[in-house]
Amino acid sequence: MSSLDDPVAADACPGRRQTTELGPVAESYDQLHRIDLIGEARSARGVPEGTYDSTVCAVFQASEVCLLNLARLARRTQARVLADDIPAASRYVQWAVGFHRLLRGLGTVMFHARGIFGAGASAGTAALSISESAGYASYVDALRGLEDAARGSLMAGAPELTRSTIATGSIDDPLYRVLHGIRIGCHDATKWESDLTAVPVGAGRSTDELISAETLAQAVAATELDAGTMHGEFVALHQVPEILCAEANDHLEIAIRAIRASALSRAAQHLAACRELLDPVVEAQRVMAEHLATGEYHEFRTNLGPASGTHSLAIKQHMFRDLFKHMWNDLEAWLRSLGEASLEETVRDIDARRHDDPETWLRHTVVDRAFQLHSAHQQWRHEHLHMPRNCLGSGGTKSMIGIPDGPQAVYKMRDAANAQHSLAAIHRARRTSLANAVPDSPLAKLITDPSSLDSDLMRVVGEATREYFPQVQEQSYQPFRSGAAERTP
């Protein structure tokens, strides 16, 4: 049975799974990213949801996924160095740099979480360290193998070339990218390891037990295709956001209930926790935008099947639909209950008098944290647009679920979110723009002109994608209904 198969589905329907020369074709978004295993690891944590301890667990689980991918990338790099295929080695090293950036961000979340939750965070009876996880051990072993290979093949095997490359080379040289990427990764590792060491936690279990390391290892291993594609890394950059968004949603739900109850300090705390958790989610999109080439995506696109990010329960339905709507509706209702003649007067009064007394400061903090949270949502939507722009292009290229123009559909989703009534009303009251571009600026006109280089590149991407995947262009739109109930705080 192929590694991507859901054992239950495979046993129930033998022989029905579609495959390519690379491996199996996913039958759904959840199957592609092994949301079942991610959910199993989340359920096994044994800590209350929406707490400091649950935040620690989520950060360490996301870190474990990153470490397992770093180990895989280090082994691939080692193999390419030993084969004297330096261009391919540089490709894997650059991807590794991206995962180190993600880990840096996760370490920062952990540092800030201890501040958000205050003394309660340091009262834990145990401490977690990333060095105690199976993924960390796997990465250290793989890195040691890579170092031995690089030392033997480059430092000792070609010392003059290595020296001259370091002394005179630049980023356009594959060997320089290998050497430079390795040293960046080594330096970054010291920082994220420090931030993820001796983290207080109330649950008295080992790191591997608390994060369900074996289950996460299965989730990562299950995403590998037979060939050396970047499919596993693509999936990992969805698994990390799934872990973090599920945790962020728990905090947001608590914040919404606190706003309704005018428990402003609690609301501010959980809005801050939610906002912090989204920074690495945004970074994951950036790593994919910078490192996943159009051709690399095309290589495994068929294996994605009908999977679409719009099918994500945690991200699309809970975060961007259900809780998004409830938070802004309830925030507006709370603001209007404060007794001013208009929403604008209420918001302006809160901001103007924020230093006058503790209550007004708390009101200001809640409003400001809500704005910061939406800023993170805006950043995610911006970064997310790189994917259809880079890999689908313009000219009516359909998505894998038959949406007529993938990039335009994503633009419309972003604009529709900003048109939500309460969100727009509160932003108007605070005189804060929700625009994502300045349409009449010289720069915007240059970029969006049909004859611009960006427009030409988008056309080329679209033409290539439609040429490689004519069958996708022929399929009709496949509507999706999750069947999950609305998440109502």
Side-chain angles (χ1 to χ4, degrees):
M1 183 174 63
S2 176
S3 61
L4 268 175
D5 276 320
D6 180 335
V8 176
D11 291 342
C13 307
R16 290 184 58 186
R17 188 68 184 277
Q18 184 182 356
T19 63
T20 71
E21 66 276 9
L22 297 178
V25 176
E27 296 175 351
S28 67
Y29 177 91
D30 285 4
Q31 187 185 65
L32 173 65
H33 302 301
R34 293 315 304 260
I35 301 301
D36 58 332
L37 295 175
I38 297 295
E40 182 181 326
R42 173 177 162 81
S43 299
R45 299 180 307 184
V47 298
E49 295 180 351
T51 61
Y52 166 76
D53 280 357
S54 68
T55 302
V56 173
C57 290
V59 169
F60 272 71
Q61 286 179 327
S63 299
E64 185 76 354
V65 171
C66 290
L67 285 167
L68 291 167
N69 278 271
L70 277 174
R72 179 166 56 191
L73 287 164
R75 290 191 293 269
R76 287 178 168 184
T77 306
Q78 176 187 354
R80 293 300 89 207
V81 168
L82 291 173
D84 198 28
D85 186 357
I86 300 304
S90 72
R91 170 199 194 196
Y92 296 134
V93 168
Q94 293 307 304
W95 271 91
V97 169
F99 277 96
H100 279 292
R101 276 167 47 194
L102 260 182
L103 279 164
R104 284 286 309 278
L106 289 164
T108 300
V109 172
M110 200 67 272
F111 180 83
H112 288 166
R114 294 169 74 169
I116 290 169
F117 288 92
S122 59
T125 58
L128 293 188
S129 291
I130 197 66
S131 61
E132 299 167 353
S133 82
Y136 178 96
S138 177
Y139 174 55
V140 170
D141 286 345
L143 182 60
R144 186 176 290 113
L146 170 57
E147 289 208 351
D148 289 344
R151 187 177 294 108
S153 298
L154 302 175
M155 302 299 288
E160 293 304 319
L161 175 61
T162 300
R163 180 183 292 272
S164 65
T165 299
I166 291 174
T168 64
S170 184
I171 203 69
D172 60 344
D173 184 332
L175 178 56
Y176 183 86
R177 288 198 299 274
V178 168
L179 300 171
H180 186 56
I182 288 174
R183 65 186 178 188
I184 286 178
C186 288
H187 182 61
D188 281 353
T190 63
K191 178 57 177 168
W192 56 251
E193 181 179 29
S194 174
D195 289 337
L196 297 172
T197 294
V199 177
V201 67
R205 290 189 288 162
S206 72
T207 300
D208 279 351
E209 289 175 332
L210 198 57
I211 67 174
S212 296
E214 289 187 9
T215 303
L216 292 177
Q218 292 177 43
V220 171
T223 67
E224 292 190 36
L225 296 177
D226 293 338
T229 70
M230 306 314 298
H231 180 271
E233 289 70 26
F234 172 85
V235 171
L237 293 175
H238 287 77
Q239 290 176 331
V240 168
E242 286 286 342
I243 292 169
L244 297 176
C245 284
E247 179 65 22
N249 289 340
D250 289 341
H251 288 283
L252 184 53
E253 183 169 341
I254 294 171
I256 292 168
R257 293 200 299 266
I259 290 171
R260 290 174 183 167
S262 294
L264 302 187
S265 179
R266 182 177 298 276
Q269 174 179 263
H270 288 281
L271 284 172
C274 181
R275 172 65 180 83
E276 285 295 330
L277 284 160
L278 293 185
D279 274 342
V281 175
V282 174
E283 187 63 42
Q285 290 290 331
R286 189 70 193 183
V287 170
M288 186 150 48
E290 292 181 355
H291 297 294
L292 183 65
T294 306
E296 291 173 336
Y297 174 75
H298 285 173
E299 190 174 10
F300 59 74
R301 189 189 187 206
T302 300
N303 296 84
L304 303 181
S308 168
T310 60
H311 300 172
S312 169
L313 180 64
I315 299 174
K316 178 61 169 67
Q317 179 172 328
H318 286 171
M319 183 171 75
F320 281 134
R321 193 188 73 183
D322 300 345
L323 296 176
F324 177 84
K325 174 187 68 176
H326 286 293
M327 190 197 79
W328 287 103
N329 287 350
D330 288 339
L331 187 65
E332 182 185 10
W334 167 68
L335 287 169
R336 291 191 183 279
S337 74
L338 297 180
E340 297 291 343
S342 68
L343 184 63
E344 183 176 77
E345 286 184 29
T346 300
V347 172
R348 298 293 298 280
D349 183 67
I350 287 172
D351 284 345
R353 297 194 308 108
R354 63 189 182 277
H355 298 303
D356 290 359
D357 58 77
E359 178 67 16
T360 308
W361 173 254
L362 276 177
R363 291 176 180 178
H364 163 78
T365 301
V366 168
V367 173
D368 194 55
R369 293 274 167 84
F371 272 64
Q372 290 180 35
L373 178 58
H374 188 63
S375 173
H377 288 168
Q378 292 275 71
Q379 290 177 45
W380 184 90
R381 291 184 183 280
H382 174 82
E383 297 295 347
H384 178 244
L385 269 160
H386 283 296
M387 183 66 196
R389 279 174 49 85
N390 295 351
C391 298
L392 297 182
S394 63
T397 307
K398 287 188 176 182
S399 71
M400 291 299 284
I401 58 172
I403 293 176
D405 191 314
Q408 284 303 313
V410 180
Y411 278 112
K412 289 178 181 178
M413 284 190 285
R414 180 189 66 179
D415 295 341
N418 283 340
Q420 200 271 349
H421 179 271
S422 294
L423 169 79
I426 297 172
H427 276 71
R428 282 196 304 271
R430 214 181 190 203
R431 299 182 182 179
T432 302
S433 173
L434 285 167
N436 290 287
V438 184
D440 295 326
S441 77
L443 183 61
K445 287 181 178 179
L446 172 64
I447 293 171
T448 59
D449 190 284
S451 63
S452 72
L453 179 59
D454 184 66
S455 297
D456 285 343
L457 290 171
M458 288 279 285
R459 277 194 292 272
V460 171
V461 172
E463 290 166 1
T465 305
R466 294 191 296 275
E467 178 183 343
Y468 290 171
F469 302 98
Q471 73 282 5
V472 176
Q473 292 302 115
E474 296 171 2
Q475 67 186 23
S476 58
Y477 173 57
Q478 304 171 43
F480 173 78
R481 298 289 183 272
S482 72
E486 178 179 341
R487 184 163 182 172
T488 305

